[in-house]
């Protein structure tokens, strides 16, 4: 036995087949502990003589099938039966089992799917090869050289084994398409390593690929649902001279063409989309990224994806009803996918049957605290609200403006009650400067024609009737500047978007607006509490950390 074989048990040919349990134990023992300590690259001494080019150009081949088609086309083969069709299967080696010097079983996986329909067992039997130039020694050397992670093309005939497993019986030695020069672990347990080596974790953990496929299906559903409703999908600017659309700290940058100006990445597409409504579109939507230069936590990332739509002549009741139908249909599609295809995800048991429960902001808080809220337009409103916090022994928010005090009361007394899908409606006007407002008939407070959908105590949808009066919008912008002009001693600035106010002068028809965070929606249906799990390469912290992986091991 060579020194190399002593050092690498995976190159040895056992005298009898290795059981699945033993194979799994071997991977845990060798691949995880050793590969995490120091991933090593195969040397030229380990190069395979039968494949002088380890990274060949792909060439056209007849009979190439994906695994799902292969399984469906030949599912009727009886035990021991072999088809006369010659087909080609391509995929990554995940495990091998050797049975003597002339028989081996190789499991190929495709599309990151660790379920039966995306796995094919390739049967390598020396006496079934059509190439007469392959000697027993060459066959044995080939089997010994098989490496977990390598990508092969296998030509053969479909065959069902006596144990009733559909396999591909090779008629030629498999062709190496791409060599994996690292030791592919059995799993990654270290959380930091999983994020730094996301591409490796995707190969090993079936949950992540299923989450990303679920995300793709959610976006596909939203796009189709809105298109069926008559909305036109559009793309609006990401870079502009101001962020616009919400109160948040933007990312700023510069452009070669405008060296004397500071540009900003958008924090929301809202004002651009409403400009399109002003331009004559009646229904528009956009699914795309926005950016906020703020903190990273379990639920927030500076770069995030939203879906926003705007439709003319839609009131709040229409928007809420449309949302309830949307979520009901989406929940059914997500559950079907999870139960039938994306089985690494645990299905969520949430009842989305409409109508959803509603909490009227001011009456619900007054009921919870046992007293009426002060007149929010009075000069003493801020101090009166702070007194309520003192009476209830609740901590004040940092920089306790009226909007922040009301938002904190909502978090304490309303959002905490929203386990099942629940609308919080009619918030005070100061909490929604871009929405129309009216006097609440029950308490005479000015409130916004707005509704927020909460599920499991998290906000998922924000929808309202858009303010279309230039004068009223200016007044609300000015109040917004008053409340948010200084934040933590002037750390944040808020300005009035004069160009948007000027655009409103051309006449914005009564319009309903709707926004939803895609990342949080994916978290809900995937059953995860971390936003990093639904982002291809994690949060900004993880992405920035990728620069350091070249000098770090698994």
């Amino acid at each position: 036995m060579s020194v190399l074989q002593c050092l690498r048990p995976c190159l040895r040919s056992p005298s009898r087949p290795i059981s699945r349990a033993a194979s799994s134990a071997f991977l845990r023992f060798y691949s995880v502990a050793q590969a995490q300590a120091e991933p090593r690259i195969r040397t030229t001494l380990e190069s395979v003589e039968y494949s002088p080019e380890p990274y060949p150009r792909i060439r056209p081949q007849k009979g190439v099938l994906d695994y799902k088609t292969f399984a469906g086309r030949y599912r009727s083969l009886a035990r021991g039966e072999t088809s006369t069709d010659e087909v080609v299967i391509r995929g990554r080696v995940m495990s091998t089992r050797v049975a003597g010097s002339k028989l081996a079983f190789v499991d190929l996986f495709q599309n990151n799917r660790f379920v039966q329909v995306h796995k094919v067992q390739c049967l390598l039997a020396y006496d079934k090869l059509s190439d007469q130039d392959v000697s027993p020694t060459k066959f044995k050397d080939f089997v010994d050289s098989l490496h977990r992670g390598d990508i092969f093309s296998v030509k053969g005939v479909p065959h069902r084994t006596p144990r009733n497993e559909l396999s591909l019986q090779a008629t030629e030695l498999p062709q190496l398409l791409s060599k994996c020069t690292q030791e592919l672990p059995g799993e990654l347990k270290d959380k930091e390593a999983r994020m730094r080596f996301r591409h490796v974790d995707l190969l090993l953990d079936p949950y992540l690929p299923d989450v990303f496929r679920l995300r793709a299906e959610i976006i596909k559903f939203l796009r189709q649902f809105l298109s069926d409703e008559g909305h036109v999908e559009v793309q609006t600017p990401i870079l502009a001279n101001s962020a616009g659309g919400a109160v948040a700290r933007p990312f700023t940058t510069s452009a070669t063409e405008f060296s004397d100006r500071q540009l900003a990445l958008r924090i929301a597409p809202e004002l651009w989309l409403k400009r399109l409504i002003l331009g004559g579109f009646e229904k528009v939507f956009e699914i795309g990224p926005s950016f906020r230069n703020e903190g990273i936590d379990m639920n927030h990332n500076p770069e995030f994806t939203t879906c926003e739509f705007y439709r003319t002549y839609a009131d709040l009741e229409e928007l809420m009803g449309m949302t309830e139908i949307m979520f009901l249909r989406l929940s059914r599609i997500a559950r079907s996918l999870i139960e039938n295809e994306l089985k690494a995800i645990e299905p969520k048991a949430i009842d989305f049957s409409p109508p959803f429960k509603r909490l009227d902001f001011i009456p619900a808080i007054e009921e919870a605290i046992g007293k009426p809220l002060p007149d929010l337009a009075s000069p003493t409103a801020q101090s009166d609200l702070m007194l309520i916090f003192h009476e209830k022994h609740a901590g004040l928010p940092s920089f306790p403006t009226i909007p922040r005090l009301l938002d904190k009361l909502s978090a304490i007394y309303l959002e905490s009650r929203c386990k099942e899908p629940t609308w919080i409606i009619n918030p005070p006007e100061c909490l929604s400067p871009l929405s129309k407002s009216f006097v609440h008939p029950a308490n005479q407070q000015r409130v916004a024609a707005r509704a927020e959908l909460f599920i499991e105590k998290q906000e998922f949808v924000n929808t309202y009737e858009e303010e279309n009066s230039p004068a009223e919008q200016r007044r609300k912008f000015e109040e917004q500047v008053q409340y948010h002009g200084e934040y933590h001693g002037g750390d944040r600035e808020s300005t009035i978007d004069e160009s948007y106010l000027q655009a409103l002068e051309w006449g914005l028809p009564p319009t309903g607006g709707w926004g939803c965070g895609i990342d949080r929606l994916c978290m809900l249906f995937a059953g995860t509490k971390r936003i990093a799990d639904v982002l291809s390469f994690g949060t900004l912290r993880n992405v920035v950390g990728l620069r350091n992986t070249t000098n770090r091991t698994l």
Side-chain angles (χ1 to χ4, degrees):
M1 183 184 297
S2 68
V3 174
L4 186 59
Q5 286 178 315
C6 291
L7 292 176
R8 293 185 62 196
C10 61
L11 291 182
R12 298 178 60 186
S13 301
S15 58
R16 60 181 182 274
I18 301 176
S19 68
R20 289 183 181 270
S23 176
S24 177
F26 161 73
L27 288 173
R28 289 195 300 271
F29 168 75
Y30 177 74
S31 297
V32 176
Q34 187 165 333
Q36 284 188 358
E38 183 181 1
R40 58 189 293 273
I41 297 178
R42 286 188 284 174
T43 67
T44 54
L45 293 176
E46 301 170 65
S47 297
V48 186
E49 294 183 1
Y50 67 86
S51 181
E53 175 50 68
Y55 307 100
R57 289 184 63 194
I58 196 71
R59 59 184 176 84
Q61 289 179 284
K62 294 182 178 179
V64 177
L65 299 179
D66 63 71
Y67 293 11
K68 191 172 183 179
T69 302
F70 177 81
R73 184 175 297 180
Y74 298 104
R75 65 178 179 271
S76 60
L77 285 179
R79 292 183 185 226
E81 183 181 358
T82 302
S83 172
T84 58
D85 299 343
E86 192 167 63
V87 301
V88 176
I89 289 292
R90 297 162 177 164
R92 187 183 295 271
V93 175
M94 280 300 179
S95 63
T96 59
R97 300 176 300 285
V98 181
S101 61
K102 295 185 178 182
L103 181 63
F105 301 89
V106 181
D107 288 333
L108 298 185
F109 283 82
Q110 191 178 71
N111 208 21
N112 299 77
R113 304 297 293 279
F114 289 77
V115 293
Q116 192 64 33
V117 73
H118 292 276
K119 183 198 81 168
V120 169
Q121 174 182 269
C122 295
L123 175 61
L124 305 183
Y126 175 74
D127 59 353
K128 299 296 183 181
L129 299 181
S130 59
D131 189 351
Q132 300 300 318
D133 293 333
V134 178
S135 65
T137 301
K138 185 175 181 180
F139 178 84
K140 181 177 180 299
D141 290 343
F142 170 82
V143 172
D144 287 347
S145 69
L146 289 172
H147 184 266
R148 177 174 157 86
D150 285 348
I151 300 171
F152 279 91
S153 174
V154 184
K155 179 185 288 188
V157 291
H159 169 76
R160 190 171 293 279
T161 67
R163 293 188 177 183
N164 202 34
E165 183 164 0
L166 182 62
S167 306
L168 182 67
Q169 184 174 281
T171 56
E172 297 178 5
L173 281 182
Q175 179 194 6
L176 180 65
L177 298 179
S178 183
K179 182 169 64 176
C180 176
T181 60
Q182 291 279 356
E183 296 293 347
L184 188 62
E187 59 181 333
L188 292 180
K189 293 183 178 180
D190 182 74
K191 291 182 178 180
E192 184 180 351
R194 292 182 66 185
M195 295 308 306
R196 291 202 322 270
F197 298 91
R198 190 71 150 190
H199 51 289
V200 180
D201 200 24
L202 285 167
L203 288 173
L204 305 175
D205 183 2
Y207 175 74
L208 284 177
D210 279 2
V211 168
F212 297 156
R213 288 185 178 89
L214 179 62
R215 180 189 178 100
E217 292 297 328
I218 288 173
I219 294 174
K220 177 182 175 182
F221 168 81
L222 292 174
R223 179 172 281 116
Q224 189 62 55
F225 181 91
L226 293 173
S227 295
D228 291 345
E229 287 284 328
H231 293 77
V232 177
E233 183 172 13
V234 297
Q235 289 182 317
T236 60
I238 291 177
L239 275 174
N241 61 340
S242 63
V247 177
R249 181 188 302 141
F251 285 95
T252 58
T253 185
S254 61
T256 303
E257 188 70 21
F258 309 105
S259 58
D260 59 334
R261 301 184 198 174
Q262 179 176 271
L263 303 181
L265 275 68
R266 74 180 184 194
I267 56 181
E270 177 172 351
L271 300 186
W272 293 111
L273 291 169
K274 286 193 280 191
R275 283 181 171 92
L276 291 174
I277 296 293
L278 276 160
F281 285 91
E282 292 198 348
K283 298 176 182 179
V284 295
F285 79 97
E286 181 173 11
I287 297 174
S290 292
F291 307 84
R292 299 188 182 185
N293 194 2
E294 299 179 342
I296 302 172
D297 58 28
M298 298 282 281
N299 296 301
H300 298 89
N301 188 48
E303 178 183 355
F304 56 98
T305 305
T306 63
C307 173
E308 292 196 16
F309 75 76
Y310 294 83
R311 55 194 288 147
T312 55
Y313 315 116
D315 64 6
L316 195 60
E317 288 296 328
E318 179 181 338
L319 295 169
M320 294 167 68
M322 183 176 170
T323 304
E324 293 177 359
I325 294 173
M326 176 194 294
F327 271 69
L328 178 62
R329 293 181 185 174
L330 178 57
S331 67
R332 290 172 176 172
I333 290 174
R335 175 171 286 275
S336 176
L337 285 168
I338 291 170
E339 291 178 348
N340 296 295
E341 297 183 38
L342 312 179
K343 296 187 178 181
I345 302 174
E346 291 290 332
K348 295 284 293 183
I350 301 175
D351 183 9
F352 286 98
S353 301
F356 297 167
K357 188 173 77 172
R358 299 186 182 190
L359 293 175
D360 199 335
F361 192 106
I362 293 178
I365 287 181
E366 291 178 339
E367 180 183 2
I369 64 176
K371 61 184 298 185
L373 289 178
D375 180 359
L376 300 177
S378 70
T380 62
Q382 183 178 15
S383 57
D384 292 340
L385 287 172
M386 293 174 67
L387 181 61
I388 292 175
F389 276 80
H390 177 72
E391 292 173 349
K392 298 298 180 181
H393 306 287
L396 289 171
S398 58
F399 192 62
T401 62
I402 293 176
R404 291 177 62 80
L405 289 165
L406 291 169
D407 192 59
K408 183 69 176 288
L409 288 174
S410 175
I412 296 172
Y413 296 108
L414 302 185
E415 296 170 22
S416 60
R417 296 164 57 184
C418 301
K419 178 67 175 175
E420 68 273 16
T422 304
W423 292 106
I424 296 179
I425 61 173
N426 304 331
E429 178 188 72
C430 61
L431 289 176
S432 189
L434 288 166
S435 69
K436 294 191 76 66
S437 53
F438 63 97
V439 176
H440 197 293
N443 48 54
Q444 305 307 304
Q445 302 264 30
R446 287 197 64 83
V447 296
R450 174 186 178 188
E452 295 172 282
L453 177 61
F454 282 79
I455 307 169
E456 295 188 342
K457 305 177 185 180
Q458 295 284 331
E459 180 190 355
F460 284 87
V461 170
N462 183 23
T463 185
Y464 45 80
E465 297 172 20
E466 303 292 337
E467 180 59 76
N468 59 349
S469 164
E472 279 295 286
Q473 187 62 82
R474 178 176 292 279
R475 177 182 68 81
K476 293 173 182 179
F477 274 164
E478 290 173 350
E479 289 182 356
Q480 185 181 43
V481 170
Q482 175 186 342
Y483 290 129
H484 300 283
E486 294 183 358
Y487 186 75
H488 289 307
D491 182 58
R492 181 178 298 182
E493 294 184 356
S494 180
T495 59
I496 294 175
D497 191 332
E498 293 289 347
S499 66
Y500 176 68
L501 291 174
Q502 185 181 33
L504 285 181
E505 294 175 1
W506 292 91
L508 177 69
T511 300
W514 184 96
C516 176
I518 298 295
D519 306 317
R520 189 169 289 182
L521 191 61
C522 295
M523 291 170 63
L524 175 69
F525 288 106
T528 179
K529 301 296 183 182
R530 302 190 326 143
I531 192 172
D533 289 339
V534 301
L535 303 175
S536 298
F537 292 94
T539 64
L540 181 61
R541 182 179 291 115
N542 307 128
V543 172
V544 172
L546 286 175
R547 293 175 62 102
N548 303 320
T549 59
T550 54
N551 298 321
R552 304 176 74 175
T553 67
L554 283 172

